[in-house]
């Protein structure tokens, strides 16, 4: 009697091949930040050192690291930026509306203390169309607060922006 062997299930191809690269870059960014924090250096240095890895991991065309100086009133200091013009950085720091970037997503990330993801600004509906940054050319935005692990206070905000589509951001990127 011969045994019946079920056919091997085929493994579907990875729908997002950049995920493996993102994971490696994010692990590198996290490792570097933890190494700096573990050596009793300050959190600003740790955030700054890992910023480049995170921007590459998220294939960001525009990236910004803001240190939160005060939550009430909301005040920021720009620590690092990539792909942004000076007036765009200033708009993100002050919360002023300007085409091409979204200060609204930064405020939402701080208020909710959660990652904010706009997969495709053209598909976001009415609320996204009210944000000056999301008008015109479509954008994909991932904006994440960096929280103190003990107090849950927002220390900084990471803002990444790219084109929607295969390199764009999705809800699956939020638990990074």
């Amino acid at each position: 009697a011969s045994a019946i062997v079920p056919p091997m299930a085929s493994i579907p191809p990875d729908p997002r091949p950049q995920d493996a690269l993102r994971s490696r870059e994010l692990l590198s960014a996290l490792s570097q930040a933890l190494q700096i924090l573990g050596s009793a250096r300050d959190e600003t240095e740790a955030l700054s050192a890992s910023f480049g890895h995170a921007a590459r991991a998220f294939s960001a065309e525009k990236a910004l690291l803001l240190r939160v100086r005060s939550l009430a009133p909301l005040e920021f200091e720009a620590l690092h930026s990539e792909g942004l013009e000076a007036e765009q950085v200033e708009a993100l720091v002050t919360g002023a509306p300007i085409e091409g970037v979204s200060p609204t997503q930064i405020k939402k990330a701080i208020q909710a203390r959660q990652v904010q993801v706009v997969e495709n600004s053209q598909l976001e509906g009415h609320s996204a169309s009210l944000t000056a940054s999301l008008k015109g050319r479509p954008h994909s935005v991932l904006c994440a607060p960096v929280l103190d692990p003990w107090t849950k206070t927002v220390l900084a905000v990471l803002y990444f922006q790219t084109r929607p589509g295969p390199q764009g951001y999705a809800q699956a990127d939020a638990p990074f």
Side-chain angles (χ1 to χ4, degrees):
S2 63
I4 299 175
V5 179
M8 295 286 287
S10 64
I11 299 172
D14 186 353
R16 294 180 53 156
Q18 74 274 16
D19 285 351
L21 177 59
R22 270 189 191 166
S23 295
R24 281 193 299 274
E25 289 285 348
L26 288 173
L27 181 59
S28 179
L30 182 60
S31 296
Q32 189 172 16
L34 289 173
Q35 184 178 29
I36 291 168
L37 288 172
S39 65
R41 290 189 257 169
D42 71 46
E43 69 234 11
T44 300
E45 184 180 352
L47 290 167
S48 298
S50 63
F51 174 73
H53 289 290
R56 281 189 301 281
F58 281 105
S59 305
E61 292 176 355
K62 297 179 180 183
L64 181 66
L65 171 61
L66 293 172
R67 184 173 70 86
V68 177
R69 286 185 174 172
S70 168
L71 290 171
L74 196 55
E75 293 180 18
F76 303 109
E77 173 187 4
L79 296 178
H80 290 285
S81 69
E82 293 182 10
L84 292 163
E85 297 171 16
E87 61 269 7
Q88 291 176 317
V89 172
E90 183 64 23
L92 288 168
V93 168
T94 62
I98 186 171
E99 189 170 334
V101 293
S102 181
T104 303
Q105 296 305 316
I106 291 171
K107 289 176 189 170
K108 285 181 181 179
I110 290 170
Q111 290 169 348
R113 288 181 164 68
Q114 294 181 334
V115 176
Q116 300 297 305
V117 177
V118 176
E119 292 185 32
N120 183 332
S121 60
Q122 291 185 328
L123 303 178
E124 284 293 304
H126 186 66
S127 62
S129 68
L130 295 176
T131 303
S133 72
L134 302 179
K135 293 179 181 173
R137 189 186 91 137
H139 303 290
S140 183
V141 175
L142 186 143
C143 185
V146 178
L147 304 177
D148 179 292
W150 293 278
T151 66
K152 302 301 182 208
T153 301
V154 181
L155 302 173
V157 179
L158 292 165
Y159 176 91
F160 302 118
Q161 182 174 304
T162 193
R163 294 181 189 128
Q167 292 215 328
Y169 310 123
Q171 290 301 323
D173 293 318
F176 73 90

